[in-house]
Amino acid sequence: MKRPTAVTTIESFILEQERQHPQATGELTNLLYDVALGTKLVAAAIRRAGLVDILGSAGDVNVQGEEQQKLDVFANECMKSALAAAGRVCVLASEEDELPTQISSGSEARYAVLIDPLDGSSNIDVNGSVGTIFSIYRRVSDGEPDIMDVLQPGNQQVAAGYVMYGSSVMLVYTTGAGVHGFTLDPTVGEFLLSHHYITMPETGKYLSVNESNFPRWTKGAQKAVRAFHGERPEVMAAKNSRYIGSLVADFHRNLIAGGVFLYPSDTRNPKGKLRLSYEANPMALIAEQAGGAATNGMTRILDIQPEELHQRTPLVIGSKKDVEFVVDMLRNEPE
Ligand code: AHM
Ligand code: MG
């Protein structure tokens, strides 16, 4: 007799994972569910993005009399509303806001959350893939929430993940017990388990890097990329180039199919371009949990102590052996 295929929602999956830890209170489950809800609101808005000009351009007033906002501002508001509702978050930091937003000082507000609400937003105008990235820490402050709640190194994250708004909407997350992926079923509005225990191949097929920066890289970065082009087959097999310009989408491809993403420092961006706390750190935790690696070229991303909220970092992330290869090149020729 044919057995029915089990359907697992994100809620039941996280609950089951928490149940295996008797000390768990279920709060993290609820918080992750709030994140998922926020991203569903963002997904709904993105699906209508191409209609904005027809229904009223950004800055106009829509039929409900509300002012229409640019999508990244709107995504920020969606995420904040979803996370603020239940009082589980003490402070929320976002790429869109210069300063962190205090949400609650109550003792039940045990988490600090950092988000990039709409990563790769330049892709919106061309109907390309974008994403939302999130990073969750346990609160370290007593009394009033503090900047230190959001300036913790990535190795203190209790959960991290992203949602990719691509040909389908997918949520990928980790709580330190493997990486799991859920696909949004738009007909029922639920994220359903589609990728259980995702692992990255040790060496990948793909190279993702903005090669227009090549003349401004260090010799080490140039050498690494040339080797990925196939110039040194004795030490590195040639890779296929794929670059979308959206970290979430580029990382996601490499997570599933194997590969390496680089945004090294260059003479225009001497500290790198990507943000440590809400772009590099959450992706680094996912990469490591999937068997990959992430570094700034010298130090493991998760071990960097952030000094300011919007701090930038060079980033090399992906399949472990590919990342190690780049690190060797960068260390040998750092200039
Ligand atoms: P954003 O969060 O403001 O959209 O910027 C970050 C994006 C990343 O998603 C992407 O990897 C990178 O910037 C692309 O930069 P570039 O256009 O220089 O290649
Ligand atoms: Mg971003």
Side-chain angles (χ1 to χ4, degrees):
M1 205 197 301
K2 191 173 180 286
R3 284 168 141 208
T5 313
V7 172
T8 308
T9 65
I10 190 163
E11 197 181 14
S12 58
F13 183 84
I14 306 169
L15 261 174
E16 188 48 45
Q17 273 207 322
E18 272 209 334
R19 223 172 266 141
Q20 292 165 18
H21 301 276
Q23 76 284 9
T25 59
E27 278 180 23
L28 188 58
T29 306
N30 292 327
L31 179 52
L32 286 165
Y33 201 69
D34 296 342
V35 171
L37 174 64
T39 64
K40 282 194 237 176
L41 298 173
V42 178
I46 286 173
R47 230 174 276 129
R48 297 179 69 249
L51 298 172
V52 166
D53 281 345
I54 300 164
L55 303 177
S57 58
D60 280 3
V61 171
N62 68 13
V63 282
Q64 283 95 38
E66 298 155 341
E67 198 177 313
Q68 295 206 320
Q69 295 171 310
K70 281 188 72 188
L71 216 47
D72 37 14
V73 177
F74 181 76
N76 196 31
E77 293 308 319
C78 288
M79 294 304 293
K80 275 188 185 169
S81 311
L83 287 163
R88 287 180 262 271
V89 177
C90 66
V91 60
L92 181 77
S94 163
E95 177 171 358
E96 291 296 326
D97 301 319
E98 191 188 341
L99 298 171
T101 308
Q102 178 172 326
I103 307 283
S104 166
S105 55
S107 56
E108 70 292 346
R110 290 171 48 195
Y111 295 97
V113 181
L114 293 95
I115 54 170
D116 178 353
L118 203 67
D119 178 60
S121 52
S122 65
N123 277 306
I124 281 288
D125 293 344
V126 294
N127 200 14
S129 294
V130 289
T132 297
I133 311 176
F134 60 93
S135 167
I136 301 176
Y137 292 86
R138 248 181 221 104
R139 175 182 183 172
V140 289
S141 58
D142 278 334
E144 290 297 297
D146 197 71
I147 185 77
M148 295 322 291
D149 291 318
V150 290
L151 287 188
Q152 301 184 54
N155 56 30
Q156 296 300 307
Q157 292 173 103
V158 291
Y162 61 83
V163 171
M164 176 175 160
Y165 311 101
S167 46
S168 58
V169 178
M170 235 187 116
L171 187 151
V172 174
Y173 87 99
T174 182
T175 53
V179 178
H180 311 287
F182 299 79
T183 303
L184 183 64
D185 181 337
T187 56
V188 293
E190 287 278 6
F191 280 108
L192 304 179
L193 181 64
S194 51
H195 297 64
H196 204 190
Y197 285 105
I198 300 171
T199 53
M200 287 185 106
E202 276 206 320
T203 307
K205 284 194 275 196
Y206 294 118
L207 165 67
S208 307
V209 64
N210 182 342
E211 302 213 17
S212 67
N213 293 322
F214 188 95
R216 293 180 286 277
W217 290 336
T218 62
K219 292 262 176 331
Q222 291 180 341
K223 260 197 184 162
V225 168
R226 281 210 198 96
F228 289 143
H229 286 170
E231 279 192 9
R232 296 178 63 199
E234 69 290 359
V235 289
M236 176 52 68
K239 297 199 185 300
N240 234 337
S241 278
R242 292 282 189 280
Y243 190 69
I244 294 172
S246 163
L247 174 64
V248 169
D250 282 310
F251 175 82
H252 183 73
R253 179 204 321 100
N254 296 344
L255 177 72
I256 302 293
V260 61
F261 172 98
L262 278 80
Y263 211 114
S265 60
D266 59 55
T267 48
R268 278 192 199 152
N269 304 285
K271 295 182 174 168
K273 176 181 179 191
L274 299 176
R275 314 293 182 137
L276 172 62
S277 294
Y278 42 80
E279 291 181 325
N281 268 336
M283 294 313 204
L285 189 63
I286 290 175
E288 287 198 8
Q289 281 289 316
T295 168
N296 67 1
M298 300 294 152
T299 309
R300 178 183 175 227
I301 289 289
L302 296 178
D303 288 339
I304 302 172
Q305 172 61 55
E307 272 150 29
E308 48 172 350
L309 181 57
H310 300 287
Q311 183 170 328
R312 294 177 193 272
T313 180
L315 179 65
V316 182
I317 188 167
S319 290
K320 200 169 184 181
K321 291 208 162 136
D322 296 330
V323 171
E324 284 166 6
F325 179 78
V326 179
V327 167
D328 274 354
M329 300 286 129
L330 294 178
R331 286 197 179 149
N332 284 340
E333 290 191 83
E335 300 292 310

